[in-house]
């Protein structure tokens, strides 16, 4: 690691001011200062002699040491010599050192320190520059860190840092793997909507399966809190002229449309200021569509976009221009010009009729299962044949007539839902404000066979991908393959944990968790030659090295009666097909508290702009397979370099703090 390579650069002679501070502390005695500080913090808690496990946990918290209760329980038990459930101050001190004084941090501190007792400000600045790759170091940076994290007042006043301060700094949010400069919106938000990946959910009202599970407002609330910006609402006729939301023709429970809208209004902009798209799966009669339109207008008021923006009459506006706006995605009759001309008129009872081509997703899945994928040439022939049939009026799909209430139709501005026919048809006829929904099976074929055409399509038009109908258990597809071709709205079942949602959550950590991520240039360029399925001649790859050092208070196995697990870690890159790679550590037996691996993994990533990295901690299982303990996923280009802590999350996405991995990261382009 760089720490070992930079010893020749170390300056070992303190300046006169530092020497005076060091002398002052040495007169008091290093160990005396440390012991005095420790006793001053804990002495009052031992006035009555011994303390219990509960008080031990509170005292560790008072010392700013985050702990897993299960681990503390077993460490407490092992250090309670009399087995009375109460410990002395010296026994507590041993427990504190076991938890707070990690060997790997001591090694780093001793290498950086000139005397293995303190770091001078220049030592800390050197560590930040050479080991943490912090580029914007100034004279006050090290001083500010010392003032913030050093708990011993005498050491702080001497402008030095003890190991106690150093370990608190290394365990802080400043040393997390995710670079905090990406925790706020930093990307250019003035591009058209089609230039962004948009966090999107499928059947947002469901919190379980697609057949008999409950519909719940929590589906919308939790999705919005996670930064989701495209919500799906399945609308059906309800009793007493009140539209309802549920999964049609199933036993899922029903919600009133107006109740759903009110919940969305309350939470829409809690996490992000950028626009929310309501994707309506509209099965309502015209009269209840009018009720929907009234509910949308009365609930959202001026936040509901019901007219083109003056600066964007004939092109998609930007997220910045649409801040705090609600957009309706639905079928639309007529043009935007006609919509504008009807502004302020009475639309009650006005109904338009249109024909829609219907293509069953089930047929696509059956065809997919019959045999190998057709060739590009065969696909070209199919498309030419389809265009020929259209030219002479031969129907390709079943057609059904739709009745759309003008009041609802006129609320659709920049997100008109339009049936996808072919890339050729879209090039000729699709309007800038029309977006397509494509089922995962068809989208997967297109992404494999017509990847470059797919990308050219998504440079112009918002494209939404949704799960196939056979996913009745609310399972999810891998969203990465559709992000690779620039699809903006890759809709997932947010209620279902697993790899797809880990990727979703990890990707949208970027750009401040705003739910909008600017696509790489090669997915926005209308002349792009990019194809994720082919080797790239002009790529700008990165070489990434991950040194897996240790684990910190990892979750113990659910099958263990103690705090142990046979821990292993896998590190996986997910991106374009050529970048997909997974490497795995060896197993550390019976140690979930502080396993040490010291293993290095190296990756060459051709398209880092699309790559995610996923850390998974497991308990080795010899019969039933490995047991998931925790994971963390983030974009490769959002990683800090140097010594970093990787926080872990449960299968349901809950933080497992303080459980984490300790790693060293280095990469170069």
């Amino acid at each position: 690691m760089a720490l070992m390579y930079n010893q020749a650069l170390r300056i070992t002679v303190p300046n006169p001011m530092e020497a005076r501070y060091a002398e002052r502390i040495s007169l008091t005695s290093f160990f005396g200062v440390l012991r005095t500080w420790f006793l001053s913090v804990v002495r009052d808690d031992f006035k009555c002699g011994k303390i219990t496990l509960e008080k031990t946990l509170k005292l560790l918290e008072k010392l700013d040491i985050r702990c897993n209760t299960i681990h503390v329980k077993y460490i407490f038990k092992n250090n309670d010599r009399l087995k009375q459930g109460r410990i002395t101050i010296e026994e507590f001190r041993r427990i504190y050192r076991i938890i707070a004084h990690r060997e790997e941090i001591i090694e780093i501190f001793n290498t950086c320190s000139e005397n293995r007792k303190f770091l001078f400000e220049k030592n800390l600045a050197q560590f930040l520059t050479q080991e943490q790759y912090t580029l914007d170091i100034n004279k006050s940076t090290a001083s500010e860190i010392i003032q913030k994290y050093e708990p011993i007042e005498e050491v702080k006043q001497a402008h030095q840092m003890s190991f106690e301060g150093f370990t608190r700094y290394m365990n802080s949010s400043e040393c997390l793997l995710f670079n905090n400069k990406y925790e706020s919106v930093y990307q250019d938000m003035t591009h058209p909507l089609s230039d962004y990946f948009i966090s999107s959910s499928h059947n947002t009202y469901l919190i379980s399966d697609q057949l008999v599970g409950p519909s719940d407002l929590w589906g919308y609330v939790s999705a919005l809190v996670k930064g989701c910006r495209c919500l799906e609402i399945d609308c059906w006729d309800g009793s007493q002229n009140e539209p309802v939301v549920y999964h049609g023709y199933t036993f899922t429970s029903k919600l009133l449309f107006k109740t759903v809208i009110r919940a969305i209004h309350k939470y829409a902009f809690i996490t992000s200021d950028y626009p929310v798209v309501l994707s309506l799966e509209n099965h309502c009669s015209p009269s209840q569509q009018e009720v929907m339109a009234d509910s949308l207008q009365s609930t959202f008021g001026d936040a509901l976009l019901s007219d083109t923006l003056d600066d964007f009459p004939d092109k998609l506006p930007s997220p910045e221009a649409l801040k705090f706006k609600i957009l309706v995605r639905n079928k639309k009759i007529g043009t935007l010009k006609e919509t504008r001309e009807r502004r302020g008129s009475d639309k009650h009872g006005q109904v338009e009729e249109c024909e829609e081509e219907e293509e069953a997703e089930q047929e696509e899945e059956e065809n997919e299962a019959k045999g190998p994928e057709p060739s590009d040439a065969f696909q070209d022939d199919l498309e030419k044949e389809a265009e020929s049939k259209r030219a002479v009026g031969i129907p390709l799909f079943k057609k059904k007539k739709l009745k759309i209430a003008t009041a609802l139709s006129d609320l659709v501005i920049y997100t008109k839902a339009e049936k996808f026919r072919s890339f050729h048809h879209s090039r000729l006829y699709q309007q800038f404000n029309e977006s397509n929904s494509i089922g995962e099976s068809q989208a997967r074929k297109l992404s494999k066979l017509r990847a470059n055409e797919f990308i050219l399509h998504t440079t112009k038009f918002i494209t939404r991908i949704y799960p196939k109908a056979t996913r009745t258990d609310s399972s999810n597809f891998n969203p990465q393959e559709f992000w690779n071709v620039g699809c903006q709205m890759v809709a997932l079942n947010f209620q279902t944990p697993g790899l797809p949602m880990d990727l979703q959550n990890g990707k949208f950590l970027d750009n401040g968790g705003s739910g909008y991520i600017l696509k790489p240039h090669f997915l926005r360029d209308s002349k792009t030659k990019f194809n994720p399925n082919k080797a790239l001649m002009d790529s700008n790859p990165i070489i990434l090295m991950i040194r897996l050092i240790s684990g910190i208070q990892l979750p113990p196995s659910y099958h263990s009666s103690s705090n142990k697990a046979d821990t292993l870690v896998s590190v996986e890159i997910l991106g374009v097909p050529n970048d997909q790679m997974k490497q795995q550590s060896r197993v550390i037996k019976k140690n979930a508290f502080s396993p040490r691996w010291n293993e290095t993994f190296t990756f060459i990533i051709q398209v880092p702009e699309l790559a995610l990295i996923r850390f998974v901690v497991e308990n080795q299982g010899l019969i039933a397979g490995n047991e998931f303990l925790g994971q963390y996923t983030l974009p490769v280009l959002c990683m800090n370099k140097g010594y970093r802590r990787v926080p872990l999350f449960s299968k349901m996405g809950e933080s497992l703090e303080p459980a984490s991995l300790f790693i060293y990261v280095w990469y170069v382009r």
Side-chain angles (χ1 to χ4, degrees):
M1 289 179 287
L3 190 63
M4 306 305 176
Y5 304 148
N6 294 325
Q7 298 309 301
L9 301 175
R10 189 172 305 286
I11 300 170
T12 57
V13 181
N15 64 37
M17 182 66 73
E18 289 170 339
R20 285 200 298 274
Y21 285 135
E23 182 182 358
R24 189 176 72 185
I25 292 177
S26 65
L27 290 173
T28 320
S29 159
F30 163 70
F31 294 107
V33 169
L34 186 63
R35 186 173 181 81
T36 299
W37 163 77
F38 187 80
L39 289 174
S40 70
V41 177
V42 307
R43 185 185 292 114
D44 288 347
D45 293 87
F46 287 90
K47 282 182 177 178
C48 297
K50 296 182 177 183
I51 63 171
T52 61
L53 172 61
E54 183 180 2
K55 286 191 175 181
T56 297
L57 288 164
K58 289 181 178 178
L59 190 50
L60 287 168
E61 184 179 344
K62 183 179 176 182
L63 284 158
D64 296 322
I65 302 300
R66 291 173 295 179
C67 298
N68 177 300
T69 304
I70 296 175
H71 285 303
V72 176
K73 174 183 175 182
Y74 282 94
I75 295 170
F76 181 96
K77 183 178 178 181
N78 291 336
N79 284 273
D80 177 12
R81 287 175 296 180
L82 298 179
K83 307 302 177 188
Q84 296 177 338
R86 298 167 69 84
I87 58 171
T88 65
I89 192 170
E90 282 305 313
E91 289 169 334
F92 173 79
R93 188 167 181 270
R94 275 200 302 273
I95 292 172
Y96 171 80
R97 290 179 64 85
I98 289 170
I99 295 172
H101 291 196
R102 290 165 32 219
E103 289 182 7
E104 61 271 34
I105 303 297
I106 293 173
E107 290 168 8
I108 297 168
F109 179 83
N110 287 343
T111 308
C112 295
S113 172
E114 297 171 14
N115 54 20
R116 296 196 168 200
K117 295 181 176 65
F118 307 107
L119 294 178
F120 296 112
E121 285 182 358
K122 67 178 179 63
N123 301 141
L124 181 56
Q126 191 171 326
F127 170 75
L128 296 172
T129 303
Q130 297 179 2
E131 310 303 336
Q132 301 299 78
Y133 298 90
T134 308
L135 301 178
D136 53 349
I137 292 290
N138 56 45
K139 290 183 179 180
S140 64
T141 304
S143 177
E144 289 169 1
I145 289 175
I146 289 171
Q147 293 302 310
K148 186 174 181 180
Y149 295 104
E150 177 55 54
I152 305 175
E153 193 60 34
E154 294 95 327
V155 179
K156 185 189 296 186
Q157 291 299 320
H159 298 276
Q160 297 171 10
M161 177 176 265
S162 69
F163 176 76
E164 297 296 339
F166 188 71
T167 193
R168 282 160 177 77
Y169 168 67
M170 294 298 288
N171 284 324
S172 74
S173 60
E174 294 186 46
C175 291
L176 286 172
L177 179 60
F178 187 78
N179 192 323
N180 59 15
K181 77 178 183 181
Y182 303 118
E183 290 179 348
S184 57
V185 175
Y186 68 94
Q187 294 178 340
D188 184 352
M189 302 303 285
T190 62
H191 289 257
L193 285 176
S194 54
D195 280 0
Y196 297 84
F197 294 119
I198 303 171
S199 179
S200 304
S201 63
H202 174 250
N203 288 353
T204 317
Y205 49 90
L206 293 179
I207 58 172
S208 184
D209 64 79
Q210 311 277 314
L211 297 179
V212 297
S215 301
D216 199 295
L217 294 177
W218 177 245
Y220 291 98
V221 173
S222 62
L224 288 167
V225 168
K226 291 176 183 175
C228 183
R229 299 287 90 187
C230 179
L231 310 172
E232 186 176 30
I233 310 176
D234 279 17
C235 310
W236 298 80
D237 281 353
S239 61
Q240 299 179 330
N241 205 36
E242 285 287 355
V244 293
V245 176
Y246 83 113
H247 200 202
Y249 308 114
T250 68
F251 295 103
T252 58
S253 57
K254 299 175 181 178
L255 301 169
L256 288 177
F257 178 81
K258 64 182 180 183
T259 307
V260 168
I261 295 304
R262 288 169 186 165
I264 293 171
H265 178 249
K266 184 176 180 180
Y267 290 93
F269 303 108
I270 294 290
T271 299
S272 171
D273 299 345
Y274 292 101
V276 173
V277 179
L278 305 183
S279 185
L280 304 183
E281 193 72 32
N282 181 13
H283 305 276
C284 289
S285 62
S287 63
Q288 296 211 17
Q289 288 180 40
E290 288 191 352
V291 175
M292 290 165 58
D294 289 341
S295 292
L296 290 165
Q297 290 172 311
S298 62
T299 302
F300 294 118
D302 291 340
L304 182 67
L305 188 75
S306 56
D307 193 10
T308 54
L309 302 181
D310 291 339
D311 294 337
F312 301 92
D314 55 2
K315 61 180 180 179
L316 287 177
S318 65
E320 190 67 29
L322 292 169
K323 265 188 171 182
F324 301 108
K325 288 294 185 182
I326 303 291
L327 280 63
V328 176
R329 185 176 184 274
N330 189 54
K331 296 293 179 183
K332 181 177 180 64
I333 305 297
T335 65
L336 289 173
K337 182 181 178 182
E338 291 168 341
T339 296
R340 173 163 275 198
E341 290 171 350
R342 284 193 292 266
R343 284 195 68 185
S345 64
D346 182 10
K347 301 167 189 175
H348 182 73
Q350 293 185 27
V351 179
E352 299 283 347
E353 191 172 83
C354 68
E355 279 191 336
E356 181 185 50
E357 294 177 344
E358 190 176 37
E359 181 181 22
E361 177 83 0
Q362 182 179 353
E363 292 176 11
E364 295 173 21
E365 292 160 18
E366 290 172 356
N367 292 335
E368 190 178 56
K370 285 179 182 177
E373 298 284 1
S375 67
D376 278 354
F378 179 69
Q379 195 74 14
D380 285 332
D381 291 340
L382 286 178
E383 196 162 288
K384 289 175 182 176
E385 181 184 355
E387 291 301 322
S388 298
K389 287 182 177 180
R390 287 192 187 95
V392 296
I394 300 175
L396 292 175
F397 308 96
K398 295 181 290 183
K399 290 191 175 183
K400 63 177 181 179
K401 290 187 177 181
L402 298 177
K403 291 184 177 181
I404 309 292
T406 303
L408 183 60
S409 174
D410 281 359
L411 296 181
V412 179
I413 307 299
Y414 295 117
T415 46
K416 175 185 177 182
E418 183 66 21
K419 181 70 183 179
F420 176 76
R421 295 169 175 81
S422 70
F423 296 135
H424 179 69
H425 183 274
S426 293
R427 284 194 299 271
L428 293 177
Y429 305 112
Q430 190 160 335
Q431 300 299 305
F432 77 95
N433 66 322
E434 294 177 343
S435 62
N436 307 125
S437 284
I438 307 177
E440 67 166 290
S441 298
Q442 182 185 12
R444 185 169 294 113
K445 289 180 183 178
L446 293 171
S447 68
K448 291 177 180 177
L449 299 172
R450 316 295 287 266
N452 185 252
E453 283 186 82
F454 209 153
I455 292 168
L456 291 172
H457 178 80
T458 59
T459 62
K460 296 180 180 179
F461 307 114
I462 295 174
T463 303
R464 178 177 175 271
I465 310 299
Y466 60 91
K468 58 189 176 185
T470 53
R471 293 187 182 274
T472 56
D473 59 350
S474 292
S475 61
N476 282 312
F477 52 76
N478 185 331
Q480 187 68 49
E481 59 184 319
F482 304 119
W483 291 328
N484 288 345
V485 290
C487 295
Q488 294 86 348
M489 296 178 172
V490 181
L492 298 180
N493 293 298
F494 271 45
Q495 75 273 29
T496 306
L499 172 64
M501 275 307 297
D502 291 343
L503 300 183
Q504 159 75 25
N505 293 335
K507 186 174 187 68
F508 286 97
L509 283 174
D510 198 3
N511 204 31
S514 63
Y516 285 84
I517 298 173
L518 186 64
K519 296 193 290 185
H521 175 73
F522 53 78
L523 293 180
R524 295 184 274 122
D525 181 5
S526 61
K527 296 180 180 179
T528 185
K529 302 295 183 183
F530 178 73
N531 186 330
N533 304 320
K534 295 181 179 179
L536 304 174
M537 303 302 294
D538 57 349
S539 68
N540 188 15
I542 69 169
I543 299 171
L544 170 65
M545 184 270 284
I546 301 287
R547 181 157 185 79
L548 174 65
I549 300 172
S550 63
I552 306 166
Q553 299 188 53
L554 302 178
S557 169
Y558 294 112
H559 308 296
S560 172
S561 58
S562 67
N563 65 329
K564 294 181 172 56
D566 295 337
T567 51
L568 62 97
V569 177
S570 62
V571 183
E572 184 174 10
I573 303 296
L574 299 108
V576 301
N578 283 342
D579 285 342
Q580 307 271 48
M581 182 182 288
K582 184 177 182 179
Q583 299 188 48
Q584 187 170 292
S585 74
R586 71 184 188 279
V587 178
I588 305 296
K589 293 286 187 179
K590 297 182 179 180
N591 189 346
F593 175 67
S594 58
R596 294 282 299 271
W597 287 280
N598 289 319
E599 294 184 51
T600 300
F601 307 122
T602 302
F603 303 90
I604 298 176
I605 305 172
Q606 298 293 330
V607 190
E609 296 87 351
L610 289 173
L612 299 171
I613 185 168
R614 185 170 186 253
F615 299 83
V616 180
V617 182
E618 296 177 311
N619 172 53
Q620 185 186 47
L622 300 178
I623 299 175
N626 291 349
E627 173 192 358
F628 175 92
L629 297 180
Q631 72 83 33
Y632 185 62
T633 306
L634 77 164
V636 164
L637 295 181
C638 289
M639 288 193 297
N640 275 310
K641 293 182 182 179
Y643 291 100
R644 300 295 166 182
R645 191 166 57 86
V646 182
L648 295 176
F649 290 81
S650 71
K651 189 172 288 187
M652 298 304 295
E654 300 158 333
S655 173
L656 296 172
E657 285 280 11
S660 51
L661 299 173
F662 187 56
I663 66 174
Y664 184 86
V665 180
W666 177 85
Y667 58 85
V668 65
R669 297 190 79 157

